[in-house]
Amino acid sequence: MKVKAIFMADSSDAGIERAYDESVRTRLAEKLDLFPVYINQENAKLHLNELSDVEIAFSTWGIPNFSEEELQRYLPNLKVLFYAAGSVQRFARPFMFRNVTVVSAWAANAIPVIEFTSAQILLANKGFTQSARSYKQHGDYRQAQQISRAFPGNYSARVGILGAGMIGRGVIEMLSKHELAIDVFDPFLSDDRAAELKVRKTDLIDIFTNCDTISNHLANLPATVGILNKDHFDRMLPHATFINTGRGAQVVEADLIKALREVSTRTAILDVTAPEPVPDNSPFLQLDNVLLTPHIAGSMNKEVYRMGLYMEAECERYLTGAAMRYEVKLEMLETLA
């Protein structure tokens, strides 16, 4: 007899089709007794009998926020949730408190962020944003070239990485192919692991004072809200670049704006903001030394399929009794994004 499984999503949510493409859904249907209706708080009560022995759930972005009581009422025998997306902070605890194993595609979602960030760091060290903008606006080749020469290039440039979780470590490993000096701020990074990564552990003040490019990958926790502020941005080098693909709320944006206005050769590359999108009157839209991207660092378009494939593989491990690779433990929520 096949194991019973469901997709958790709003009835009109197209996210399931995006994360689990047709081939993945077909293979899952061959292996599992897959319920044909997407389940959420609104319709779960209509399917009490069918849901009573469901063992596996799949979901992605937009997963309904089930409470412990709802999980007990509607899905009393749920054993594992496969989440084809990244952070589980918003919804995971009720599942975990019910002893439901939560498995996330955070490793798959980390790949495009690592690629995006590493590319931006290498370009930032060459003064790409500032020199390209100047050349196009003024048509002055020599002026644009002069601007680029104020940046360090990628030999021995000092790069600061904030947070050495899955994404931060991935960026460090990708940058290890280049002759860069890498400083890291992460209270959870051990000295032994720092030595393995060939990075120097230090504090935020040191990084913002001395690094040519700084990239934020801090965990998304209450303790990190507003952690990056005037004390840090005011210390940025004259041609330093700050990159944020983490969370906008970790930045006191008024302090960053002030620092960018005071030294116009500083640069910010912001893929996330708070709020998101920025208001129409945001100074970020007016400052020439700010590059805004619409939250594209994470999985998009075909990259999203990879997350469904990761969860299909994890489901196969679960069904065969093999150890799963991407289970999220309750204690991990203290450090994961």
Side-chain angles (χ1 to χ4, degrees), residues 66-85:
F66 280 92
S67 66
E68 284 185 72
E69 293 75 17
E70 288 170 329
L71 291 172
Q72 169 62 32
R73 186 182 316 131
Y74 303 133
L75 295 159
N77 289 296
L78 185 66
K79 299 293 190 298
V80 60
L81 167 65
F82 295 104
Y83 182 65

Side-chain angles (χ1 to χ4, degrees), residues 228-239:
L228 305 177
N229 53 52
K230 184 178 188 296
D231 290 342
H232 311 108
F233 298 124
D234 283 356
R235 288 177 163 84
M236 285 175 65
L237 294 171
H239 290 84

Side-chain angles (χ1 to χ4, degrees), residues 75 153 175 325-326:
L75 295 159
L175 294 179
R325 299 176 62 186
Y326 304 116

Side-chain angles (χ1 to χ4, degrees), residues 211-233:
C211 286
D212 300 295
T213 303
I214 302 145
S215 186
N216 177 40
H217 308 285
L218 291 170
N220 181 30
L221 302 169
T224 63
V225 172
I227 192 173
L228 305 177
N229 53 52
K230 184 178 188 296
D231 290 342
H232 311 108
F233 298 124

Side-chain angles (χ1 to χ4, degrees), residues 158-176:
R158 187 163 292 280
V159 175
I161 302 295
L162 314 184
M166 170 65 73
I167 294 174
R169 289 196 309 272
V171 172
I172 291 166
E173 290 165 1
M174 189 165 283
L175 294 179
S176 67

Side-chain angles (χ1 to χ4, degrees), residues 28-98:
L28 290 176
E30 291 170 353
K31 299 171 188 175
L32 303 166
D33 180 4
L34 196 56
F35 195 60
V37 177
Y38 294 169
I39 297 300
N40 50 66
Q41 292 102 324
E42 285 66 41
N43 68 5
K45 61 178 70 71
L46 304 177
H47 304 285
L48 281 174
N49 291 336
E50 296 97 328
L51 298 180
S52 63
D53 55 351
V54 164
E55 183 175 333
I56 294 174
F58 297 91
S59 195
T60 185
W61 292 302
I63 180 173
N65 270 325
F66 280 92
S67 66
E68 284 185 72
E69 293 75 17
E70 288 170 329
L71 291 172
Q72 169 62 32
R73 186 182 316 131
Y74 303 133
L75 295 159
N77 289 296
L78 185 66
K79 299 293 190 298
V80 60
L81 167 65
F82 295 104
Y83 182 65
S87 175
V88 302
Q89 290 283 3
R90 178 179 65 84
F91 66 85
R93 285 172 177 82
F95 289 91
M96 292 178 173
F97 294 153
R98 287 277 307 145

